[in-house]
Amino acid sequence: MATSLASGAGANRGAQVNVNSSDVPLRVLIIDDDPERIKLVEEGLAANAVVHTASRTHGRLLLDMISRIGPDVIIMDCNSPDRDTIESLRLVARSNPKPIVMFVEEEGGDRMQDAIDAGVSAYVIDGLMPRRVRPLIDTAIARFRHMDGLRSELQKTKDDLAARKVIERAKGLLMQHHGMTEDQAFSSMRKMSQQQGKPIKDVASNVITILEMLANKAGELPE
Amino acid sequence: MTAQTLNIGFAPLTDCASLVVARERGIFAQNGLDVSLRRFVSWAAMRDALGSGVIDAAHMLSPMVVASAARLGPFPGDFTTAFTMNLNGNAITVSNALHEEMRQRAPDLMEELPLTARALKRVIQQRQAEGGAPLTLAHVYPQSMHSYELRFWLAEAGIDPDRDLNLVVVPPSLTVDALSTGHIDGYCVGEPWNSAAVVGGLGRTLITSGEIWSNGPEKVLAVRKSWASDHHDTHLALIASLSEASKWLDDVANRQTAARMIAAPEYVNTAYDEIVSSLTGVGVQTGGHLRLKMPDFNVFHRYAANFPWRSHAKWILSQMVRWGEVPETVDVESVAENAFRPDIYCEAVKALDVACPVSDQKVEGAHQHAWLMETQSQPIACSADRFLDGKPFDPARFSDYVSGFDIRRGEDRLGESDRSQVADLGK
C-alpha cells in the first residue's frame, strides 16, 4: 500500500493546465519502473489523458522529454534516483516546473505532511485505487496553481514596492535639483513614460542615473 | 541500559564508510546506540526524510545543510551538523571521445598537473566557431560540492558554466551509463563512479576534488536542529562513535578491509575493484592518463577532518552567492553558526583522545603544504588547504572574495519559486 504525495516544484507561469475539463486530455508523465503502478495510473485516467512513460530515461534525456511533452503533471516515486534531476528543474529560471505527484512508502507517510510546507501541493493517505487517480491529480494541479498564484502575487507586491521606492527617489531628486513640486515631478515622469512607452519605474531609474551623474560631475569641479 | 534506536540515511557512495564501519565493528553498540542504516538513491528524498523525521540523521552533502541554514529550498533553517564525515573524494571524469578531442585541440595544455579546464575551453571555442553541439556535463545535485567544484574548475579556465555548456543533474549510479551512451560528455561525482568509468575503459579522470580545493569538506552528518537539542546525549554518542570509526578507517592498514565491508550488497553494492583504489589511494587516475598514489583521495579523520570548520560553511555559502542561489545580503555569520556546530563536536570528542582546534575558522587556501596546528592539548598535523586558482578565502572578507570572481551570476539564475522563497524567508 502506498500513500501519495503531490508536490509542486516551482512556478508554472503560462502553462496550460486543464483542471476539471474533460474535453482537453491531460498530459501525464509517469517516471516509474513499476509496471503495475504504471498500469494502475493508466487505468485510473482512462481516456481522459495522454500518458507518457519514462522508465529508462534519465538525466538529460529525461529533461529533453519533459520539454518535448510539456506534461501537465509528473507522477513519480518519491525515492526514485531521477528525483534529483526533476528537483533541479526549479533552479533553472527558463524552465517551467510542473506539479509532481509522488508515491511514498507508508512508513513515515503521515510525517511527510511537513513536506507540504516544502513546496508540496497535495497530500493523500490512501491505497492508490484507479478511481482515486484522477481526483488526486486534479487536486495536485489545483493546489499547485493556488500556491503559484500566491507566489506571483507576493512577487508582484514586492516589485510594486521596489518600483515605488525608485519613483520616490527620482521625485526627490527632481524636486531638489530642478525646483519642481512633488506633483510636477511625478507628472513629468508620467508624461515621459507615456511618450516613450516605458514603465514609469524605468523612467524614474533613468532620471536617478542622469541626475546622480550630473551631481557627481558638478561635485568634482571647483565652483 | 536499553540502546537508543536510531535511523540513519546514507547514499551508496564510498564516503558513507564511517557509518558502515561504526555499525560493522560494533562501535555504535558500544556507545549504546542501535542504528539502522537506510539507503537512499536521491538526495532530495533523503532531505525530505530527514526534514520530516522519518530518519534521525543523514550522510548528507555538506552544501545541503548550508542551503537549509541560508533558507534556500525546502526545510529552511531546520538542519545542522556537528560532524564532517570526510574531506575530498570527488573527481571530474570525461568520456574517451572528449578526452581525445581535448588532446587534439590542446596537446600542450593536457600535460598540466593539476589539469585545468584550459584544454576544455579550446574544445568549446572550436565547437562554437564551427557551430557544433555544446557539451553537456553532469553533477549530482544543485547544492553539492560536486556542482561547486565543477563550476569552480570550469570558471577558473574562463568557461562560463551556465552559458558555454549544459549542466545537468544525473543520479550518480546512472552517470557511467550516460557517459557510455554519449548523452553526457563528463561529470563530477563521488566514488565509485569515477573509478567505474576508468576501470570499464569508458572515460578518463581529469582532476580530483582535492586538486581543486585541498581537503574541502564533502559529506557531513546532518541532523535536525530540534533533534540536536532534544537528543543532545544521543547526538554526542553518535559523533563519538563516528569519530572512532573514522580514526580506524584512516589507518591505511584497514582500508582494504573497509573496502570489502562497504562494497557489500546492503551498502554500496559494487565490485571491490571499483572501490579499493580510491579508498587505498593507490593508482588513482588524474590528469587523464596518470595513475598516482593519492593517500588523501579520501580523508576520514586526520587533519582535524571531522571538525566542522565555520570557514568551510562560509566558503560553501560564498559559492551559493557567487552562482546567484543566495542573495548577497545574506547574513554570513548567522548561516555559518546555524549550519556548522564545532562546539557540539568538541563536546562529543572531549573524552576521546582527539584534539580540537581552538578557533572555528581559518583562512582557507593559506596553506600550500602540510602544517602543524597548535591546540590546547596535542598539536594536530594538518595538510594543505589550497585552491586551484591560488586565491585564499579569508572568511572575514567574504564579499571581496565573491566579487573577486570574473565569472559569477546575479540572482537571475534562480527560478521564480526559489527567489521568492529566499526573499521571503531570508529575513
Side-chain angles (χ1 to χ4, degrees):
Chain A
M1 184 164 127
T3 55
S4 303
L5 190 72
S7 102
N12 194 26
R13 210 155 325 294
Q16 294 298 309
V17 181
N18 321 298
V19 176
N20 303 329
S21 138
S22 53
D23 43 336
V24 188
L26 196 68
R27 279 159 301 175
V28 178
L29 175 66
I30 309 174
I31 305 171
D32 206 334
D33 293 332
D34 181 347
E36 294 209 353
R37 240 173 0 199
I38 294 173
K39 204 172 138 225
L40 191 149
V41 172
E42 282 175 338
E43 268 174 31
L45 289 168
N48 283 335
V50 181
V51 180
H52 301 266
T53 311
S55 47
R56 274 181 192 74
T57 309
H58 310 284
R60 186 183 149 192
L61 292 184
L62 183 59
L63 295 176
D64 288 350
M65 186 173 181
I66 290 168
S67 76
R68 198 172 59 243
I69 296 170
D72 298 311
V73 64
I74 296 172
I75 304 178
M76 69 186 304
D77 189 288
C78 165
N79 199 19
S80 155
D82 296 313
R83 177 120 185 251
D84 294 344
T85 303
I86 298 299
E87 182 110 350
S88 71
L89 268 179
R90 71 195 174 110
L91 274 167
V92 184
R94 64 179 178 275
S95 79
N96 189 10
K98 314 291 177 192
I100 299 169
V101 173
M102 275 181 203
F103 299 114
V104 298
E105 300 291 320
E106 193 185 14
E107 184 205 349
D110 52 338
R111 283 180 290 180
M112 292 298 272
Q113 180 80 37
D114 294 349
I116 291 180
D117 301 329
V120 165
S121 47
Y123 172 75
V124 185
I125 302 178
D126 201 352
L128 192 62
M129 310 283 278
R131 64 183 169 77
R132 300 260 321 130
V133 170
R134 183 64 197 235
L136 171 68
I137 288 174
D138 285 346
T139 309
I141 295 175
R143 181 131 187 177
F144 180 81
R145 293 171 83 190
H146 174 69
M147 295 301 286
D148 188 42
L150 290 181
R151 271 189 216 105
S152 43
E153 220 166 88
L154 184 72
Q155 193 59 44
K156 189 176 176 307
T157 312
K158 279 185 186 139
D159 291 348
D160 287 353
L161 202 67
R164 196 169 307 165
K165 275 188 191 158
V166 174
I167 294 164
E168 287 300 317
R169 167 124 182 82
K171 273 201 299 197
L173 287 174
L174 285 172
M175 287 155 71
Q176 189 188 336
H177 294 285
H178 291 268
M180 291 187 184
T181 66
E182 190 174 351
D183 281 350
Q184 284 171 334
F186 185 73
S187 55
S188 71
M189 284 195 291
R190 194 177 53 192
K191 198 171 156 200
M192 197 180 275
S193 153
Q194 282 161 352
Q195 281 170 350
Q196 300 185 349
K198 278 185 187 167
I200 189 160
K201 174 179 163 265
D202 292 358
V203 172
S205 30
N206 287 343
V207 167
I208 294 172
T209 314
I210 290 166
L211 288 183
E212 278 182 344
M213 192 179 73
L214 292 175
N216 284 342
K217 198 152 192 187
E220 280 163 21
L221 300 169
E223 298 257 316
Chain B
M1 189 180 114
T2 48
Q4 279 285 330
T5 310
L6 286 179
N7 283 306
I8 304 181
F10 75 98
L13 296 163
T14 307
D15 55 21
C16 71
S18 54
L19 285 169
V20 174
V21 166
R23 187 160 186 269
E24 292 291 316
R25 293 186 52 81
I27 300 170
F28 283 139
Q30 283 159 23
N31 283 286
L33 303 174
D34 175 16
V35 170
S36 304
L37 294 180
R38 285 188 48 174
R39 182 160 56 189
F40 286 84
V41 290
S42 150
W43 292 111
M46 181 128 69
R47 175 201 65 207
D48 290 355
L50 181 67
S52 56
V54 174
I55 53 175
D56 303 299
H59 162 230
M60 191 176 263
L61 300 163
S62 49
M64 271 186 134
V65 176
V66 178
S68 159
R71 315 192 84 86
L72 169 65
F75 302 105
D78 287 359
F79 300 154
T80 192
T81 181
F83 190 85
T84 300
M85 294 179 70
N86 64 309
L87 310 176
N88 306 326
N90 301 326
I92 297 172
T93 296
V94 297
S95 66
N96 290 334
L98 178 54
H99 179 255
E100 188 51 34
E101 200 175 336
M102 288 168 77
R103 279 203 330 159
Q104 282 180 6
R105 292 280 167 252
D108 50 326
L109 295 174
M110 289 301 278
E111 296 306 317
E112 293 180 331
L113 197 73
L115 187 57
T116 70
R118 282 180 180 73
L120 190 67
K121 187 176 166 71
R122 291 245 189 107
V123 170
I124 291 170
Q125 284 171 331
Q126 185 75 23
R127 286 191 178 207
Q128 281 169 348
E130 292 171 353
L135 293 170
T136 300
L137 299 181
H139 58 83
V140 302
Y141 194 78
Q143 284 84 45
S144 64
M145 290 304 284
H146 314 78
S147 163
Y148 301 131
E149 285 157 358
L150 181 58
R151 286 171 169 276
F152 192 95
W153 181 69
L154 293 167
E156 191 274 336
I159 300 170
D160 187 323
D162 294 309
R163 291 176 185 154
D164 295 337
L165 44 79
N166 297 318
L167 280 190
V168 295
V169 168
V170 175
S173 57
L174 301 170
T175 47
V176 178
D177 265 358
L179 192 72
S180 66
T181 52
H183 294 128
I184 57 174
D185 301 294
Y187 51 70
C188 182
V189 289
E191 284 295 292
W193 304 111
N194 295 290
S195 297
V198 172
V199 170
L202 300 166
R204 306 278 193 135
T205 296
L206 301 183
I207 190 167
T208 62
S209 59
E211 295 166 284
I212 298 172
W213 179 16
S214 304
N215 301 303
E218 177 47 38
K219 303 298 187 309
V220 295
L221 182 80
V223 297
R224 286 182 306 287
K225 257 160 86 176
S226 56
W227 185 90
S229 45
D230 296 346
H231 301 84
H232 186 65
D233 291 342
T234 309
H235 193 198
L236 297 184
L238 187 52
I239 292 167
S241 308
L242 289 177
S243 173
E244 197 185 328
S246 304
K247 190 174 180 180
W248 180 87
L249 195 53
D250 241 8
D251 186 338
V252 180
N254 295 328
R255 289 282 179 103
Q256 281 172 322
T257 315
R260 266 184 209 97
M261 258 181 218
I262 62 177
E266 65 267 42
Y267 301 123
V268 180
N269 189 22
T270 190
Y272 170 78
D273 285 353
E274 288 181 358
I275 234 167
V276 74
S277 70
S278 67
L279 260 188
T280 54
V282 175
V284 177
Q285 188 172 65
T286 191
H289 63 291
L290 299 169
R291 281 185 181 273
L292 298 183
K293 200 168 175 197
M294 291 186 146
D296 287 349
F297 184 83
N298 278 300
V299 172
F300 291 101
H301 187 68
R302 57 180 174 268
Y303 314 150
N306 304 131
F307 184 77
W309 291 98
R310 288 204 163 121
S311 43
H312 284 180
K314 288 182 183 177
W315 185 84
I316 292 168
L317 186 61
S318 78
Q319 300 308 294
M320 292 176 172
V321 174
R322 175 185 188 182
W323 299 116
E325 296 171 346
V326 166
E328 286 172 47
T329 50
V330 67
D331 184 342
V332 177
E333 290 305 323
S334 148
V335 169
E337 278 170 22
N338 282 296
F340 280 27
R341 294 294 302 272
D343 51 326
I344 298 178
Y345 170 80
C346 290
E347 189 184 351
V349 300
K350 205 165 47 185
L352 310 171
D353 186 25
V354 175
C356 252
V358 288
S359 166
D360 59 13
Q361 306 195 47
K362 59 188 169 88
V363 175
E364 302 295 335
H367 305 95
Q368 301 300 307
H369 305 287
W371 58 292
L372 206 60
M373 179 167 45
E374 296 297 336
T375 73
Q376 281 169 348
S377 54
Q378 73 268 35
I380 305 173
C382 287
S383 188
D385 49 23
R386 64 175 176 269
F387 292 96
L388 180 65
D389 64 358
K391 286 185 197 155
F393 168 62
D394 180 350
R397 300 172 54 105
F398 184 93
S399 305
D400 292 347
Y401 183 72
V402 174
S403 55
F405 289 111
D406 290 338
I407 299 180
R408 61 196 164 94
R409 279 293 89 71
E411 279 178 61
D412 56 329
R413 198 170 77 84
L414 278 195
E416 193 95 22
S417 65
D418 286 83
R419 233 187 356 252
S420 61
Q421 195 164 11
V422 167
D424 221 20
L425 301 163
K427 286 166 191 161

